[in-house]
Amino acid sequence: MRTVNLESQKNGTMSKAKEKSAKKRVVEEDDDQLPIFDKDVTEKKAGEEDDADLSDSEESVFSGLEDSGSDSHDEEEDAEEGDDEDDDDAVILDEILTKSSGVETATEPPATDKNTPTVNMGVLFLLQKQYSRVQNVKTAPKQKRKMKKGEGVAMDDGGEKGLINTRHGDEYEHDTSDEEDIRNTVGNIPMEWYQDYPHIGYNLDGKKIFKPIRNKDELDEFLDKMENPDYWRTVHDKTTASDIRLSDEQVDLVHRLQKGQFGDVNFNEYEPSVDFFTNEVMIHPVTNRPQDKRSFIPSLIEKEKVSKLVHAIKMGWIKPRKPKETTPQYYDLWAKEDPNAILGRHKMHVPAPKMRLPGHEESYNPPPEYLLTEEERMAWEQQDAEDRKLPFLPQKHSCLRAVPAFSRFIHERFERCLDLYLCPRQRKMRVNVNPEDLIPKLPKPKDLQPFPTTMSLVYIGHSSLVRSISASPTGQWLVSGSDDCTVRFWEVNTGRCMKTLEVGGAVKSVAWNPNPAVCLVAVCFESTVLLLNPGLGDRLVVSSTDQLITSYEPPEEDKEQAVTWALSEGPEHDNGHRLTLTHPKAVKQVVWHGKGDYLASVMPDNSSNLQVLIHQVSKRRTQNPFRKNKGLVQCVSFHPLRPYFFVATQRYVRVYNLIKQELTKKLMTNCKWISSMAIHPGGDNLICGSYDCRLAWFDLDLSTKPYKMLRHHKKALRGVAYHKHYPLFASGADDGSVIICHGMVYNDLLQNPLIVPVKVLKGHQITHDLGVLDVTFHPTQPWVFSSGADATIRLFT
Amino acid sequence: MSQLQTRFFTDNKKYSVDDVPFSIPAASEVQELSNVINKLLEAKNGSHSQIEFDFLVRGQFLRTSLSNHMEAEGISTEDVVEIEYVERFTAPQPEECMMHDDWISSVEADSEWILTGSYDKTARIWSLEGKAVMTVAGHTDVVKDVAWVRRDGLTSLLLTASLDQTILLWEWNSERNKLKARHCCRGHAGSVDTIATDPTRTKFCSGSWDKMLKIWSAGTIGLWVVWYSVLNWPTWLNKTEEICSASWDHTIRLWDAETGSVKTTLTGSKVFNHISYSPLCRRLASGSTDRHVRLWDPRSKDGSLVLLSLTSHSGWVTAVKWAPSHEHQLVSGSLDNLVKLWDTRSCKTPLYDVSAHEDKVLCVDWTDSRLMLSGGADNKLYTYRYTACETDAGA
């Protein structure tokens, strides 16, 4: 042991130690080990020599961490809050521990070497020293850190430390001189020092221990060896210089030790081991104390990473604590599905028809009222199978046992199957239409005012039925022609007859020139068309009209005309007669063109093409526009704006273009006999009254068929009229009534005219089955005049 | 409900009764109330003779029973009812019937003479007693309107407007019964249907079918201003610079006579036939083709306000005329042959219907001398004498 100690002390000079011849075995054994140890030891030595450096470096590391820790204390704490960071801490701790404990681990293999316990002891001594030094170094800079580390070491390498401690105790036991050899008290000194003395030392009592008197030489040794049978068990004790004979027990002990066995015979080295820490998981921890924060050693790399992250967060490059999407995400698998695809069919699923529950008829013992009588049975049998109310005959049985097998079972099941899979099932969209809704929503007449509502004035004077009336363009005068062969001029607002003119026949038609600059009235009776100047209104106009007529100069060559124009003179002229146009046949109607220069007259005759004549007053010219006879002409009219000419025959209205001289349109009235016709001032609409009680409204742009057919009158219509400005039209009929309708025409071509009947005006007496013969509107006011067979003209306002 | 607490009062001192509440049967009508007042007056004054009274509850004439009236007017029957009573406006008594040869188109009377225009192309001057004094012949066509311009002693200036598009200004000496046509006003291009003289009697205004309204100066005849409108019935307001015209285009326009610009337009829904202005109550009365007499306030800025509608006629109202001395009364003539005397305090029913005419009534007028006149299509000019009640003095 001492050699070991010596050697360990001479570790610095290992080469010299090798030269030592003494204890070759030990040296030889050490040869294997020493280089390793040497290396380690030199490293240790180097470590010792670099002690300052090492400590410096360690200090720098730790202090740096400490600084950073102090700097970013909050961050550390923050970081410690997270589980991940805690785990990292633990990892870091382990790493650090392994690093710092690298010294011990490196020494572990020799420590576990059983073959060289002594050497081990020495090495252990060294290790222990160095370890404590390292500890000292660590302690110096920071008490805290040392404590932490110490604890870590203690906790992780507790087992090894325990070993060290036990060895330590042994060493004291054997190293203490007074305890070691109580027979000689000289202590641990070289015994050569007592060579020259008779004693070898002192015993406990202080008395000299004397050497044996006779020193044995080689021969004695030999003799003894040969003679003494206990020689092999005799051991020379250097301290007392006496031979000690080993007892049998001691010999056994030596033998056992030499065999590598335990010294104690009773020691059972193969006793079952009882682990202090079992591999079984116990329900209670050995210690539940959480790891201290102070045991955390942050790492530099981690710190760099963290500081980078912190910087990034500060700069806003990273958004910490992004709110997590807490709402679960679902996917609508069928979102893009076309609802009309096959799947859409499922929406329209119609469940299969359910079977009817059996009723009393199906009972085996039905109540008697369900049983068919003979007649019913006969009727049932004669009915078609499809028409039968019941597909079977109710039968009465006395008891259930008497019920025979159901003969139609297969049949019935089959039909049920047919029902289930062959019967097309689909949802029928039932259209629930309230018949009230089909009636078009017409505005209330109240909202369509103004329109004439009451009779205001009656113009009395005629003695026979008044065929025709016409209002002056100013609305001050009214002219009427009657069967009593007179033409009367009325003041509209008083009903005063201003003038009465006798003509030579029943007046069929009168027409006031629509041009306000011309004061002319056309009157037709028998076969004559008379142009009158009533002398009413502006004197200037009256005189200029006369001038217009007299200023006519007959052309050079006199053309043969269908009518003869004659200028009235003398008393007739004083009466107002200006021009007389003698027609070949009876004239029924005269009508002015809107400009007031042209005049059309109608001579209905089914056998001739000379039915319509157009006269030009200023040139006293007459022409027959039609070569062919298209039927009995009832009435004609000029288009208010364009050069169109409307000719109504019995059933059709033909529209001619006067410039192109062609037929533009042929309107089918669906009437049996047209009586009258009026053109809307806009020119795109037309109404026709007929003797079969109908009034047809044509939209010329829409179709050649009537846009609307009104059958409000009970008897034949005699006259129809449009108002010039207000959206009104009127119709007079033989039932004595005038019906006022609101007929709004829109500028929008897509919007159809709105036609609302608003008022039935009654007042005329029915005379000779004739009621109202003509209607006309006041040119400026919403008033309507009607002339009747009762010889009166009535004004409705 | 059978008894009502009432208190009677009147402006007329002569008939005042004590200001104490009376309990009156709720069903009592005018006659009963009148009897009550008469009884009270007799008790007060022995020499009192029976007088008919009319009663006003909150400015409305009582025409039905008291309870009905209050129910219709929404007056509480809990409180004491204040009833004003006035001497009844007695029925106008027919006085004269002046026969014409033709329809009478217009009439204007002043305190001494009556001027009528007729469809026989003449105008006539009558005395108030109904004696034909003068026939004014000169027009070639129907005389549509006549007007007195002014009277200086025995000479008078009068106007006649005619269908022959002229207005003639005549000077008539009543003593010598000489008539002289002073001027012929030409310029209208249509029949002149109406003329109106201004309150100062120096200008007149004419409306015609040529849609013109022309102002003429009566002194030195000359055309002043011409405005465009559909057939107008002009009337002068009391202020000389304002003319009001009612027209066939459904409007009543207020014109500034100086500048010829429209100041206000009142829009009606029907054609206006006649218009009259009362300087006493400052209201316009218009007769239109929808049977109503309407009252307008010419000062209202928005022209849509009709103050009152007097509805009883069954035909066009052809003539309206305010009473010259009573702020509530007006007379109207209509195509239904009736002349109606109205009090604006009783808009539902007129005071009196005068059914003398057998044909359309075309013109009405009153005079200060308690004479009402109406002429019509039956060629007759009727005069009625009415007794102006004492309350008129206060009016």
Side-chain angles (χ1 to χ4, degrees), chain B residues 56-80:
Chain B
L56 291 136
V57 182
R58 293 216 188 150
Q60 290 294 314
F61 270 112
L62 187 63
R63 285 289 175 264
T64 59
S65 69
L66 195 54
S67 57
N68 286 353
H69 180 85
M70 289 174 67
E71 197 177 345
E73 295 286 321
I75 302 168
S76 166
T77 54
E78 306 285 321
D79 310 326
V80 176

Side-chain angles (χ1 to χ4, degrees), chain A residues 126 128 160 175 288 347 352 370 374 433 596 670 687 766:
Chain A
L126 261 176
Q128 192 135 19
E160 199 181 354
D175 198 43
N288 202 20
K347 287 180 187 166
Y370 289 95
E374 262 319 299
V433 177
N670 288 342
I687 46 174
I766 296 172

